[in-house]
Amino acid sequence: MRHNNIILIGMPGAGKSTLGVQLAKLLAMDFVDTDLLIQRRYQSSLQSIVDHHGYEVLRDWEADVVTDFEPEQTVVATGGSVVYRQRSMNHLQRFGPVIYLYVSRPVLEQCLSNFASRGIAAAPGSSFESIYEEREPLYRRYAAIIVDLDGVSETTAMNAPSYIFTFSCPDRAGILAKVSGELYQSGLFITEVAQYSDPYTGHFFSRMVFDQRAGGDEPGAWQDRLRGLATEL
């Protein structure tokens, strides 16, 4: 087993699959959507599983599929409900950094038009607001990195000259120094650092904003450095 994968978590509509494909192309990695693995194994759509078996069964089946999956050099887009089963998250954390794609609830509500038919593993009658409030602290609990995509388009998220990363880790000084040093060498420099404690978990976070600078590596080299960091975080 190698820690050379990138695991994406987040709410439905946050862009895990769309950005995951683009990230895989940038980093020359494979891409897997675990929702598709579930549908393939059980020969049924997620919505059909919820309708015929219930949302708890979908969560259990999702955990079965995820814990059987052993990625290698892969960007993995997970289902929004993957964080409900600790065995799933413990398994995924063995293969690479878990990255939470954060988007605020109001922004998600504006762009998520198929909420009722999306196959979301939630109790009948649950509102999007209640699902968001229930899952948000779970995403933060398991995330090694949080990427703030609030109000950022898919194109901007991959190509804009500014990159925003939020890190939660025990070795705060060490990881921040390593990340900032590696990205600086590739043509990025820190323009903002904010440190705070998450109210849900008490975990320490550092939020860093990077901008492109002149005199760095060849264009695109930051992707290689980020891929290298992914194996070490």
Side-chain angles (χ1 to χ4, degrees):
M1 182 203 318
R2 297 180 61 191
H3 203 258
N4 62 352
N5 305 277
I6 296 174
I7 316 298
L8 304 179
I9 63 173
M11 283 292 291
K16 300 184 297 293
S17 295
T18 303
L19 292 179
V21 169
Q22 296 181 41
L23 187 60
K25 289 179 179 179
L26 283 171
L27 301 179
M29 299 172 72
D30 290 332
F31 172 78
V32 169
D33 185 325
T34 60
D35 281 349
L36 298 182
L37 296 182
I38 297 168
Q39 294 183 160
R40 182 186 306 162
R41 174 178 292 191
Y42 297 104
Q43 293 296 297
S44 181
S45 69
L46 301 184
Q47 187 61 53
S48 180
I49 294 172
V50 172
D51 292 341
H52 292 92
H53 303 281
Y55 72 97
E56 288 287 3
V57 169
L58 175 54
R59 292 179 183 178
D60 288 336
W61 287 2
E62 177 180 45
D64 292 341
V65 169
V66 167
T67 53
D68 285 343
F69 176 51
E70 297 192 355
E72 175 70 20
Q73 197 73 15
T74 301
V75 178
V76 181
T78 62
S81 56
V82 70
V83 289
Y84 284 116
R85 297 294 185 260
Q86 185 172 347
R87 62 188 174 107
S88 296
M89 297 311 301
N90 289 346
H91 178 76
L92 291 171
Q93 286 173 326
R94 296 162 57 204
F95 290 92
V98 175
I99 301 178
Y100 170 30
L101 302 185
Y102 167 79
V103 182
S104 68
R105 180 174 57 82
V107 172
L108 281 174
E109 287 179 323
Q110 289 178 2
C111 43
L112 197 62
S113 59
N114 59 342
F115 169 68
S117 61
R118 199 177 175 102
I120 294 177
S126 297
S127 67
F128 187 79
E129 178 180 3
S130 66
I131 295 171
Y132 186 94
E133 294 303 320
E134 183 177 70
R135 293 182 180 185
E136 225 277 328
L138 296 176
Y139 296 137
R140 292 180 178 274
R141 176 188 303 173
Y142 291 112
I145 303 171
I146 301 175
V147 180
D148 187 344
L149 297 179
D150 216 8
V152 178
S153 69
E154 294 163 0
T155 301
T156 302
M158 299 306 298
N159 300 312
S162 294
Y163 307 89
I164 302 174
F165 299 98
T166 308
F167 297 89
S168 172
C169 55
D171 181 16
R172 299 187 284 214
I175 194 72
L176 293 176
K178 182 171 186 60
V179 170
S180 61
E182 288 287 331
L183 292 181
Y184 181 83
Q185 291 298 319
S186 65
L188 302 176
F189 67 97
I190 298 176
T191 60
E192 173 189 336
V193 175
Q195 299 178 347
Y196 60 94
S197 178
D198 186 88
Y200 293 110
T201 65
H203 292 174
F204 176 89
F205 287 87
S206 284
R207 181 178 185 271
M208 296 186 290
V209 180
F210 294 90
D211 282 332
Q212 290 179 333
R213 66 174 178 84
D217 292 341
E218 292 297 317
W222 69 272
Q223 287 102 334
D224 293 330
R225 290 187 180 272
L226 182 58
R227 180 172 52 192
L229 284 171
T231 67
E232 302 174 30
L233 292 175

PDB file of all heavy atoms in Angstrom, residues 31 36 68 111-112 142 152 182 190:
ATOM      1  N   PHE A  31      -8.509   8.299 -12.050  1.00  0.00           N
ATOM      2  CA  PHE A  31      -9.648   8.894 -11.347  1.00  0.00           C
ATOM      3  C   PHE A  31     -10.710   7.830 -11.120  1.00  0.00           C
ATOM      4  O   PHE A  31     -11.012   7.043 -12.016  1.00  0.00           O
ATOM      5  CB  PHE A  31     -10.261  10.043 -12.145  1.00  0.00           C
ATOM      6  CG  PHE A  31     -11.551  10.555 -11.547  1.00  0.00           C
ATOM      7  CD1 PHE A  31     -11.520  11.399 -10.453  1.00  0.00           C
ATOM      8  CD2 PHE A  31     -12.781  10.156 -12.055  1.00  0.00           C
ATOM      9  CE1 PHE A  31     -12.704  11.851  -9.871  1.00  0.00           C
ATOM     10  CE2 PHE A  31     -13.964  10.598 -11.485  1.00  0.00           C
ATOM     11  CZ  PHE A  31     -13.927  11.451 -10.393  1.00  0.00           C
ATOM     12  N   LEU A  36     -19.926   5.444  -8.519  1.00  0.00           N
ATOM     13  CA  LEU A  36     -20.022   4.563  -9.680  1.00  0.00           C
ATOM     14  C   LEU A  36     -19.643   3.128  -9.315  1.00  0.00           C
ATOM     15  O   LEU A  36     -20.210   2.172  -9.861  1.00  0.00           O
ATOM     16  CB  LEU A  36     -19.142   5.077 -10.811  1.00  0.00           C
ATOM     17  CG  LEU A  36     -19.497   6.460 -11.361  1.00  0.00           C
ATOM     18  CD1 LEU A  36     -18.560   6.833 -12.514  1.00  0.00           C
ATOM     19  CD2 LEU A  36     -20.947   6.508 -11.821  1.00  0.00           C
ATOM     20  N   ASP A  68     -13.315  -2.170   0.386  1.00  0.00           N
ATOM     21  CA  ASP A  68     -12.747  -3.169  -0.530  1.00  0.00           C
ATOM     22  C   ASP A  68     -11.839  -2.532  -1.587  1.00  0.00           C
ATOM     23  O   ASP A  68     -11.097  -3.238  -2.278  1.00  0.00           O
ATOM     24  CB  ASP A  68     -13.862  -3.933  -1.254  1.00  0.00           C
ATOM     25  CG  ASP A  68     -14.551  -4.948  -0.353  1.00  0.00           C
ATOM     26  OD1 ASP A  68     -13.979  -5.290   0.695  1.00  0.00           O
ATOM     27  OD2 ASP A  68     -15.667  -5.374  -0.698  1.00  0.00           O
ATOM     28  N   CYS A 111     -26.925  26.050  -6.771  1.00  0.00           N
ATOM     29  CA  CYS A 111     -26.502  25.298  -7.955  1.00  0.00           C
ATOM     30  C   CYS A 111     -26.919  23.837  -7.939  1.00  0.00           C
ATOM     31  O   CYS A 111     -26.689  23.122  -8.912  1.00  0.00           O
ATOM     32  CB  CYS A 111     -24.988  25.396  -8.160  1.00  0.00           C
ATOM     33  SG  CYS A 111     -23.974  25.226  -6.714  1.00  0.00           S
ATOM     34  N   LEU A 112     -27.554  23.366  -6.868  1.00  0.00           N
ATOM     35  CA  LEU A 112     -27.969  21.971  -6.793  1.00  0.00           C
ATOM     36  C   LEU A 112     -29.455  21.886  -7.118  1.00  0.00           C
ATOM     37  O   LEU A 112     -30.311  22.105  -6.268  1.00  0.00           O
ATOM     38  CB  LEU A 112     -27.697  21.403  -5.394  1.00  0.00           C
ATOM     39  CG  LEU A 112     -27.700  19.895  -5.247  1.00  0.00           C
ATOM     40  CD1 LEU A 112     -26.607  19.263  -6.101  1.00  0.00           C
ATOM     41  CD2 LEU A 112     -27.501  19.512  -3.793  1.00  0.00           C
ATOM     42  N   TYR A 142     -12.529  14.590   9.480  1.00  0.00           N
ATOM     43  CA  TYR A 142     -11.667  13.650   8.765  1.00  0.00           C
ATOM     44  C   TYR A 142     -10.695  14.317   7.796  1.00  0.00           C
ATOM     45  O   TYR A 142      -9.783  13.666   7.296  1.00  0.00           O
ATOM     46  CB  TYR A 142     -12.527  12.641   7.995  1.00  0.00           C
ATOM     47  CG  TYR A 142     -13.284  11.690   8.891  1.00  0.00           C
ATOM     48  CD1 TYR A 142     -14.674  11.743   8.988  1.00  0.00           C
ATOM     49  CD2 TYR A 142     -12.617  10.738   9.654  1.00  0.00           C
ATOM     50  CE1 TYR A 142     -15.373  10.863   9.804  1.00  0.00           C
ATOM     51  CE2 TYR A 142     -13.301   9.863  10.486  1.00  0.00           C
ATOM     52  CZ  TYR A 142     -14.685   9.926  10.554  1.00  0.00           C
ATOM     53  OH  TYR A 142     -15.369   9.069  11.371  1.00  0.00           O
ATOM     54  N   VAL A 152     -16.260  29.942  -6.096  1.00  0.00           N
ATOM     55  CA  VAL A 152     -15.210  29.771  -7.100  1.00  0.00           C
ATOM     56  C   VAL A 152     -15.722  28.832  -8.182  1.00  0.00           C
ATOM     57  O   VAL A 152     -16.232  27.755  -7.894  1.00  0.00           O
ATOM     58  CB  VAL A 152     -13.937  29.178  -6.467  1.00  0.00           C
ATOM     59  CG1 VAL A 152     -12.867  28.959  -7.528  1.00  0.00           C
ATOM     60  CG2 VAL A 152     -13.417  30.098  -5.375  1.00  0.00           C
ATOM     61  N   GLU A 182       7.791  24.159  -0.529  1.00  0.00           N
ATOM     62  CA  GLU A 182       7.668  23.426  -1.784  1.00  0.00           C
ATOM     63  C   GLU A 182       6.942  24.272  -2.838  1.00  0.00           C
ATOM     64  O   GLU A 182       7.359  24.341  -4.001  1.00  0.00           O
ATOM     65  CB  GLU A 182       6.910  22.115  -1.560  1.00  0.00           C
ATOM     66  CG  GLU A 182       7.681  21.070  -0.806  1.00  0.00           C
ATOM     67  CD  GLU A 182       8.792  20.453  -1.653  1.00  0.00           C
ATOM     68  OE1 GLU A 182       8.642  20.392  -2.880  1.00  0.00           O
ATOM     69  OE2 GLU A 182       9.811  20.056  -1.081  1.00  0.00           O
ATOM     70  N   ILE A 190       3.274  32.858  -0.342  1.00  0.00           N
ATOM     71  CA  ILE A 190       2.179  33.098   0.595  1.00  0.00           C
ATOM     72  C   ILE A 190       1.839  34.587   0.625  1.00  0.00           C
ATOM     73  O   ILE A 190       2.708  35.431   0.790  1.00  0.00           O
ATOM     74  CB  ILE A 190       2.552  32.638   2.014  1.00  0.00           C
ATOM     75  CG1 ILE A 190       2.817  31.141   2.030  1.00  0.00           C
ATOM     76  CG2 ILE A 190       1.450  32.982   3.011  1.00  0.00           C
ATOM     77  CD1 ILE A 190       3.290  30.626   3.368  1.00  0.00           C
TER      78      ILE A 190
END
